[in-house]
Amino acid sequence: MQTSFSLAQLADADISEADRILRACVHCGFCTATCPTYVLLGDEDDSPRGRIYLIKEMLENAEPARREVVKHIDRCLSCLGCMTTCPSGVHYMHLVDHARAHVEKTYGRPLADRLLRSVLLRVMTNPKLFRQALFAALLVKPLAPLLDLVRLKPLAAMLRLAPWRMPRGGMASPSVFPAAGPRRGRVALLSGCVANVLAPDINKAAIRVLTRHGFEVVLARGEGCCGSLAHHMGREKEARSAACRNIDAWTRELDGEGIDAIVTTVSGCGTTMKDYGFMLRHHPGYAGKAARVARMTFDISEFIHNIKYLKYVMRPPLRVAYHPACSLAHGQRVTTAPKEMLSKAGFVMKDIPEGHLCCGSAGTYNMLQPELANRLRDRKIAHIQEIAPDLIAAGNIGCITQIAAGTQIPVVHPVELIDWATGGSAPRALEGMGRSDTIGNRSN
């Protein structure tokens, strides 16, 4: 794609990077077939190629973002399916993130929209506030249909996504969980914000699997939200602040007792953490440390897949529909490890038709764009029902929450199944299935 940025504009490192990305695009349109919003709406401006043109024009003209442009950028899920199919290697993720930062700086959103985004960012990244919000949502959850009628659809979506019972308490940081038997290594686990409140059993399962196989697990002092939510809202100051806080926490562990890896059970967080090196590439105090942390970051499925000789016990051969979270499959290009890991544990893996399309979660997307998100969720669930699984596995808390809100089929994290298969208890979501009994042992 031909661009016409001035030399003065190209002196800005972010514009220079945007120029490089734009020039890689060859207008081929392969991305349109894998873009969820284009598949739903058929609007060129709601495809990656269309958004690229809109972003190019906005940045070249150095103009404040227009309402129409913001509409189409806001509709982007950042699922990154376009990056998987792009033959030219266009790094759409970095381009749309820069566009969102430009929107945040130059566009005056309506007051209600500004308030909603600020509240979501404030509440969802603070575990104490988020827990309080879940309790409040539980009390008024039946009012969701009424909120739809008065056109308060984002609030209705929040209530529908909230669980019907309060999750059990998460884990406090800092904490150290010693390895069972001889120590093979030491890893830091991101406790996170949303997942640690909404589904604390996931991190607990990860800790049991890791310690059971010889890894000491540390929840580093001072770590917290990875910065993803702020980053995808264009709030770069908050995103970088969160990244720096985590980098400091993990650097203290690296320079202290040492860690061999940093793992996360939330693939959305992992995609951002693996991008810390790019996010802070120009930061004089953090560029090197950020790159180091990014290199050491692994999704839990990646890390467990590389452990040799897991201590399996026999489990019923449940049919598992594996939902490849976009942040894992497209953002991190981790596609085979989760399925191979579960298959080795004895589960019967089933690919979901049209599995490359997003479920509609995408961070806060299912609250900010609930109508499109619900259409994508219903499309995803319809395809899941075609293969009649016993349960669904997904490696991202957003996907788990989104899909579970529209189906009675249990939805679990892969690490919960691995914990079960290596000696732990059955995932809570499988209670009542009558299939959680151990029926024997098998060798490594």
Side-chain angles (χ1 to χ4, degrees):
M1 178 178 289
Q2 196 170 36
T3 59
S4 56
F5 290 105
S6 69
L7 291 177
Q9 286 177 303
L10 292 173
D12 181 290
D14 290 329
I15 292 295
S16 179
E17 177 66 17
D19 178 66
R20 186 190 67 77
I21 296 168
L22 289 166
R23 284 178 174 269
C25 179
V26 296
H27 318 253
C28 67
F30 284 6
C31 57
T32 59
T34 55
C35 175
T37 50
Y38 183 78
V39 169
L40 288 183
L41 303 173
D43 185 338
E44 175 71 12
D45 286 340
D46 283 312
S47 73
R49 181 173 61 183
R51 292 186 180 105
I52 285 172
Y53 276 110
L54 293 173
I55 293 168
K56 172 183 178 292
E57 180 184 27
M58 177 177 69
L59 296 181
E60 279 184 341
N61 293 334
E63 62 181 14
R66 293 180 289 106
R67 184 174 63 178
E68 190 67 14
V69 174
V70 173
K71 179 181 75 172
H72 296 297
I73 292 176
D74 282 352
R75 283 180 179 173
C76 174
L77 295 115
S78 283
C79 71
L80 310 181
C82 54
M83 288 179 57
T84 297
T85 54
C86 179
S88 303
V90 175
H91 206 303
Y92 179 82
M93 180 177 80
H94 289 161
L95 182 66
V96 77
D97 286 342
H98 177 62
R100 287 187 169 126
H102 183 82
V103 167
E104 182 65 20
K105 292 174 185 174
T106 66
Y107 181 66
R109 291 185 180 276
L111 178 61
D113 194 12
R114 293 203 308 273
L115 287 174
L116 175 62
R117 289 167 177 268
S118 295
V119 168
L120 284 174
L121 185 58
R122 171 69 174 145
V123 171
M124 294 182 70
T125 59
N126 184 310
K128 183 177 180 180
L129 289 177
F130 187 49
R131 178 168 288 277
Q132 292 171 350
L134 288 183
F135 181 74
L138 185 61
L139 298 177
V140 296
K141 193 172 170 67
L143 299 180
L146 178 61
L147 293 176
D148 267 332
L149 289 175
V150 297
R151 303 188 64 81
L152 294 175
K153 293 184 181 297
L155 295 179
M158 291 180 205
L159 293 183
R160 289 195 172 97
L161 289 166
W164 278 104
R165 62 180 180 181
M166 286 297 294
R168 296 184 181 184
M171 297 169 299
S173 177
S175 301
V176 177
F177 302 85
R183 195 173 91 173
R184 298 170 59 182
R186 188 171 190 263
V187 301
L189 175 70
L190 175 74
S191 59
C193 40
V194 171
N196 197 32
V197 174
L198 200 57
D201 286 349
I202 295 173
N203 274 350
K204 292 175 182 177
I207 290 170
R208 288 193 295 268
V209 172
L210 292 169
T211 56
R212 188 178 295 138
H213 292 90
F215 292 92
E216 182 174 281
V217 180
V218 57
L219 306 181
R221 182 184 299 276
E223 58 91 16
C225 177
C226 67
S228 289
L229 294 183
H231 188 50
H232 295 311
M233 287 185 183
R235 307 277 284 265
E236 289 304 289
K237 182 178 179 180
E238 291 97 323
R240 287 173 182 147
S241 176
C244 289
R245 181 182 61 245
N246 284 342
I247 290 165
D248 285 339
W250 293 322
T251 298
R252 285 192 294 269
E253 292 293 337
L254 282 162
D255 295 341
E257 191 170 343
I259 51 177
D260 301 298
I262 302 162
V263 298
T264 175
T265 60
V266 183
S267 62
C269 299
T271 300
T272 296
M273 290 157 61
K274 289 182 178 184
D275 204 43
Y276 277 175
F278 179 84
M279 285 174 61
L280 297 168
R281 66 197 185 282
H282 300 304
H283 196 299
Y286 281 90
K289 292 188 292 185
R292 183 187 187 192
V293 164
R295 288 194 299 270
M296 297 188 69
T297 297
F298 294 88
D299 183 77
I300 188 68
S301 65
E302 285 182 285
F303 193 84
I304 291 175
H305 185 252
N306 290 329
I307 297 176
K308 304 299 181 184
Y309 311 115
L310 290 180
K311 301 174 182 178
Y312 297 119
V313 296
M314 181 67 82
R315 294 298 183 192
L318 297 177
R319 290 164 55 91
V320 178
Y322 176 68
H323 165 67
C326 298
S327 47
L328 189 61
H330 305 310
Q332 300 180 47
R333 304 296 174 91
V334 176
T335 55
T336 59
K339 292 192 290 185
E340 289 180 0
M341 176 183 74
L342 291 172
S343 181
K344 288 178 182 177
F347 298 98
V348 180
M349 303 307 297
K350 296 294 181 180
D351 289 329
I352 300 171
E354 222 178 53
H356 61 281
L357 285 185
C358 184
C359 68
S361 172
T364 57
Y365 190 93
N366 51 5
M367 290 169 277
L368 296 173
Q369 301 281 340
E371 293 179 275
L372 288 174
N374 289 345
R375 289 174 64 183
L376 289 170
R377 181 200 63 202
D378 294 345
R379 187 182 183 112
K380 176 69 63 176
I381 290 171
H383 284 306
I384 290 171
Q385 290 172 339
E386 290 177 21
I387 58 177
D390 295 308
L391 63 145
I392 304 162
N396 189 58
I397 183 61
C399 302
I400 292 171
T401 305
Q402 172 77 351
I403 295 171
T407 181
Q408 295 300 310
I409 303 171
V411 189
V412 301
H413 193 288
V415 78
E416 295 181 277
L417 296 178
I418 296 301
D419 176 41
W420 181 30
T422 57
S425 57
R428 196 181 308 276
L430 301 189
E431 291 177 356
M433 285 184 65
R435 289 178 151 184
S436 59
D437 56 310
T438 303
I439 60 175
N441 298 310
R442 80 179 181 196
S443 64
N444 295 339

